[in-house]
Amino acid sequence: MSTEFGGLAPRLASDAPVTGTMQAVVLGAVEAFTISGTPQVLSRSPRAARRNPSESLKLCAVKTGRAVLHQGDRELVVDRGRAVMYDVALPYELSFTDTWSCSVVTFPRHSFVLTPNEIRECLERTYDVRAGSGALLEHFVTTAVAEGADVDPSAATLLGDAGMSLVSAVLTAPETRSAPPSSAVREQILRHVRRNLADPGLSVGSIASALHMSPRTLQRIFADYGHTLSAVIRRERLASVHRDLTNPNLLDRTISSLASRYGFYDAPAFTRAFRAEYGTTPSDARHQALPHTVA
């Protein structure tokens, strides 16, 4: 692995020994691989990046298991049937917590018709390879590797060009090329937040994973919203508690039980947050809305 991928080093992600398989085929400037392994972290360190400079990009399609890519401030969760692109010129880590397999295409950055800004945008998301051009690309890689020994050298470059056309088709599919405006994406995020307010694990990271975006992308979408996404989650949770406090059908529920439903387990901290948001205490808010109740 280290020799083939310019200093990429595997390390343990569990008590089991690191094992795996790899097959490859060279198609002109394009290289295709099928790889599998036990739980491990594949790391290209800053030192390895300096010692083995590269102008290549990689697209990794996960066939079984799950991968988590860390590169710079990006963290992208890549579930089975999805792919992610990363920049080989920079350090990165791919973490696999389960037994896994994937198809990988490595290609020169200059082979793209995309602009540098468009390439940077492509690095911010994952891609569906279960259908359409993504499924065609995954099938192409698997077949090319399986038939590698029989590929006519005179046809290898043409096959590499075909592979690059499929990569471009995946990265510039309509849902990627014509991405909805930030306001529409923000509404999608808000809907996800509101559906999952009672989930104690709701966070920027969990939302990014569920919606196949990077945390940085989420924060950027909320940059002109007036509140960070973390603040939005907190306000939505406070609004839910306020709604429940003023619901006559929930009179038998204590304030602490209503608050804990949305992740507020520290009563004094919850009261301070509630007062900061609504200018009154939770008990006063309930009393004002339901004057015949005892908080």
Side-chain angles (χ1 to χ4, degrees), residues 7-288:
L8 189 64
R11 68 174 188 269
L12 292 174
S14 71
D15 294 334
V18 171
T19 61
T21 65
M22 181 174 66
Q23 293 180 286
V25 63
V26 177
L27 303 171
V30 174
E31 295 178 273
F33 305 85
T34 55
I35 313 171
S36 66
T38 53
Q40 58 193 273
V41 178
L42 303 177
S43 175
R44 179 168 163 84
S45 68
R47 183 179 181 183
R50 290 193 300 271
R51 286 190 168 188
N52 301 275
S54 174
E55 288 298 318
S56 295
L57 299 168
K58 284 186 181 179
L59 188 69
C60 174
V62 175
K63 299 169 70 174
T64 59
R66 165 186 274 199
V68 180
L69 170 70
H70 292 91
Q71 186 167 55
D73 59 358
R74 288 190 302 143
E75 178 182 280
L76 291 173
V77 177
V78 194
D79 290 310
R80 175 182 178 182
R82 299 197 70 85
V84 66
M85 188 169 76
Y86 44 100
D87 189 342
V88 184
L90 304 174
Y92 65 87
E93 282 191 349
L94 266 176
S95 302
F96 298 92
T97 56
D98 302 304
T99 300
W100 56 276
S101 63
C102 60
S103 300
V104 178
V105 186
T106 302
F107 47 91
R109 183 189 305 269
H110 62 73
S111 61
F112 262 135
V113 295
L114 302 179
T115 67
N117 282 339
E118 288 171 332
I119 290 175
R120 281 193 289 271
E121 290 177 2
C122 289
L123 294 168
E124 292 286 343
R125 55 174 68 89
T126 65
Y127 302 87
D128 192 345
V129 292
R130 296 168 298 178
S133 54
L136 288 173
L137 174 63
E138 205 285 318
H139 181 71
F140 171 85
V141 172
T142 301
T143 304
V145 170
E147 301 292 333
D150 298 322
V151 172
D152 185 338
S154 64
T157 299
L158 292 174
L159 288 171
D161 291 343
M164 274 309 306
S165 295
L166 286 171
V167 169
S168 297
V170 171
L171 299 179
T172 59
E175 61 270 22
T176 299
R177 185 176 60 252
S178 303
S182 293
S183 59
V185 178
R186 191 161 54 229
E187 284 305 313
Q188 178 189 12
I189 296 166
L190 290 172
R191 286 195 297 271
H192 178 86
V193 167
R194 290 162 184 155
R195 285 196 302 267
N196 294 277
L197 287 173
D199 179 2
L202 183 68
S203 65
V204 173
S206 71
I207 296 167
S209 175
L211 300 182
H212 306 293
M213 301 178 186
S214 71
R216 187 176 72 174
T217 298
L218 291 183
Q219 300 290 21
R220 186 172 64 242
I221 288 170
F222 278 82
D224 61 350
Y225 189 64
H227 301 282
T228 65
L229 182 52
S230 296
V232 167
I233 294 171
R234 187 177 182 84
R235 294 189 74 184
E236 290 288 340
R237 282 176 160 162
L238 286 169
S240 294
V241 179
H242 187 281
R243 182 198 63 223
D244 289 353
L245 283 173
T246 57
N247 184 346
N249 296 322
L250 297 177
L251 291 178
D252 60 331
R253 300 286 299 276
T254 65
I255 291 176
S256 61
S257 69
L258 294 175
S260 63
R261 179 184 178 189
Y262 296 102
F264 297 106
Y265 303 110
D266 183 324
F270 164 67
T271 298
R272 288 194 297 271
F274 192 94
R275 185 194 291 273
E277 185 70 19
Y278 296 106
T280 187
T281 65
S283 58
D284 285 345
R286 172 174 262 188
H287 181 74
Q288 291 163 10

